[in-house]
Amino acid sequence: METEIPAILRARESVAPERFTFHSSRMRMTHVTPEQLKAMDADSDRCAVELSDARVDVLGYACLVAIMSMGLGYHRTSEVRLHTRTVENNAPSPVVTSAGALVHGLHTLGARKIALVAPYLRPLTRTVVEYLTHEGIEVLDYEALEIPDNLAVAAHDPARLPGIAKALQYTDADAVVLSACVQMPSLGAVEEAEQLLGKPVVSAAICTAHQMLRALGLAAVAPGAGHLLSGAHAETTPARVLDRIATAHHGRRSCRTVSSGPAR
């Protein structure tokens, strides 16, 4: 998240006038286990308060499985709670979770059936599948890479992902999730995968960038980040949503402050 979100928005700066700054606060996790994920999520309130001290324009919660392992639909609870922490700190900011962003991104594409790749152990990957199923998205096939160490997830070679995705049963899928984890890099392989598979390809990080831009009321477009950010789904946030988050913006600014955390 701390590399791919800035990369996506820097690419956007080549085609749009807005400029961005990035800030992060970290929650500790060394192994991707249910116990560490629960402890990590409990620390997210602290991170939200710390980041709101910087008067950021949008907050991104950067752990998909930490949210999904807390129960079906939990991204909604988390987003409201963390937004409340920023309000209590007199620095209200909209909150995007990577879990909620993946759900919204797939719905934006009209993707009812998907295939996905995740770095998690098989039980946690099944948690992701069940979460998406609850949100009306059928997972036709998935690959669990079963990498328990968090640093090893970050070191996974993204060049391997298109081939891994190609081995999935994706023919009837509406879209493919190349990385259902913001820790596993995939941005550089997304457009290659789209060409190889002939399907829209997204990642948790791409969907998070898409939703952060919408929360800012900006066109959700960035070159080099696949179909979701190609401009085909660049609509700004509906007025009713903008009204809800208007207090977070402290006026319209040309330079947006973006939190890429709470991060691992």
Side-chain angles (χ1 to χ4, degrees), residues 43-68:
D43 208 22
S44 61
D45 290 67
R46 172 187 59 80
C47 293
V49 173
E50 289 179 357
L51 290 165
S52 65
D53 282 344
R55 299 304 190 264
V56 296
D57 293 298
V58 63
L59 280 162
Y61 186 130
C63 186
L64 179 136
V65 76
I67 292 288
M68 292 188 175

Side-chain angles (χ1 to χ4, degrees), residues 102-113:
L102 181 61
V103 170
H104 289 302
L106 291 170
H107 282 314
T108 297
L109 290 172
R112 297 178 178 274
K113 298 179 180 181

Side-chain angles (χ1 to χ4, degrees), residues 3 7 24 52 63 83 87 93 112 115 124 136 142 145 198:
T3 57
S24 63
S52 65
C63 186
H83 173 67
V87 172
S93 176
R112 297 178 178 274
L124 279 176
Y142 65 89
L145 300 180

Side-chain angles (χ1 to χ4, degrees), residues 96 98 101-103 105-106 202-212 228:
V96 172
S98 53
L102 181 61
V103 170
L106 291 170
V202 299
S203 68
I206 286 171
C207 290
T208 302
H210 184 268
Q211 288 300 303
M212 292 176 100
L228 183 62

